[in-house]
Amino acid sequence: MSKLKAITIADNEAFLRQISIPVDLSDNELSKDISVLEQFCKENDVMAMAAIQLGISKRLVYLKNTNLEIINKMQSNSETEEEKNYNEAKILINPIIKKKEGLTEYWENCASCLNNMGRVLRPYKIKVKYQDTNGNSHIDIFEGFESTVLSHEMDHLDGILFYDRIDPNHR
């Protein structure tokens, strides 16, 4: 299988800006779509990915790595073999933010937005309702960096790119 490539704003910004459709759990393509997300995330240095970024306009998010401690070790090349292979592998189907609390600010960039980077304010804590790959419903709390990563990906599902949210003074 050839290496997957994320759609970028240079390739097709209009596609990235569409609103993704809800996933039908009886969709015969669902397991293939999830495999595409998983393959891309395992092969690339990303923390998460929304399906729309890979040409799949469905409400699917793959969370890979949102553990800042391990991410920082990876960047300094001091991680253990276990940490090197760390993969949260959480699939969120039809995620909906039910509640937001507080604010946090991180520098963000994106596989689809080329070299754009900027500081973005996001909720510090979010309560998210979603389904897993077995169709079970969950409500989970995501805090801090994990909330930022998931909020970023969920924006993709609504056609919003992170640089739409950058404070103009921090570009």
Side-chain angles (χ1 to χ4, degrees):
M1 191 179 269
S2 63
K3 188 166 181 167
L4 296 167
K5 184 178 173 284
I7 296 171
T8 69
I9 54 175
D11 301 326
N12 195 343
E13 184 171 343
F15 184 84
L16 291 170
R17 290 202 176 272
Q18 70 179 292
I19 296 174
S20 298
I21 60 170
V23 172
D24 175 352
L25 291 170
S26 65
D27 179 354
N28 292 332
E29 296 290 310
L30 182 57
S31 62
K32 181 180 147 266
D33 296 338
I34 290 169
S35 292
V36 167
L37 272 168
E38 184 172 51
Q39 178 189 347
F40 183 87
C41 288
K42 285 183 176 179
E43 291 176 353
N44 293 278
D45 187 22
V46 296
M47 290 169 243
M49 187 63 100
I52 191 75
Q53 295 174 270
L54 299 175
I56 303 164
S57 57
K58 297 176 185 169
R59 298 188 80 77
L60 283 171
V61 171
Y62 186 99
L63 272 183
K64 180 181 174 185
N65 294 329
T66 57
N67 183 315
L68 266 182
E69 187 177 315
I70 292 175
I71 291 167
N72 289 334
K73 280 185 173 183
M74 288 176 172
Q75 290 172 345
S76 67
N77 292 322
S78 64
E79 76 276 20
T80 66
E81 195 60 35
E82 181 182 353
E83 290 167 336
K84 199 177 286 188
N85 295 319
Y86 177 72
N87 186 8
E88 289 175 0
K90 182 179 265 191
I91 305 290
L92 289 82
I93 301 172
N94 298 322
I96 299 168
I97 295 177
K98 302 302 274 180
K99 187 176 181 183
K100 300 175 185 181
E101 292 181 35
L103 280 177
T104 189
E105 185 177 39
Y106 284 99
W107 280 95
E108 292 187 25
N109 62 6
C110 177
S112 292
C113 294
L114 307 172
N115 293 324
N116 292 297
M117 186 176 212
R119 291 183 73 82
V120 179
L121 283 173
R122 300 254 185 214
Y124 176 78
K125 184 192 298 189
I126 55 175
K127 183 179 190 178
V128 178
K129 181 179 180 180
Y130 66 94
Q131 293 166 297
D132 63 24
T133 55
N134 296 317
N136 299 315
S137 290
H138 299 269
I139 295 179
D140 287 341
I141 304 290
F142 299 86
E143 291 187 49
F145 185 68
E146 190 174 43
S147 172
T148 293
V149 171
L150 185 52
S151 295
H152 173 115
E153 298 309 327
M154 290 179 65
D155 269 357
H156 277 296
L157 302 180
D158 292 323
I160 299 167
L161 302 175
F162 86 93
Y163 63 76
D164 298 334
R165 297 195 182 280
I166 294 175
D167 177 338
N169 299 318
H170 292 101
R171 287 187 187 262

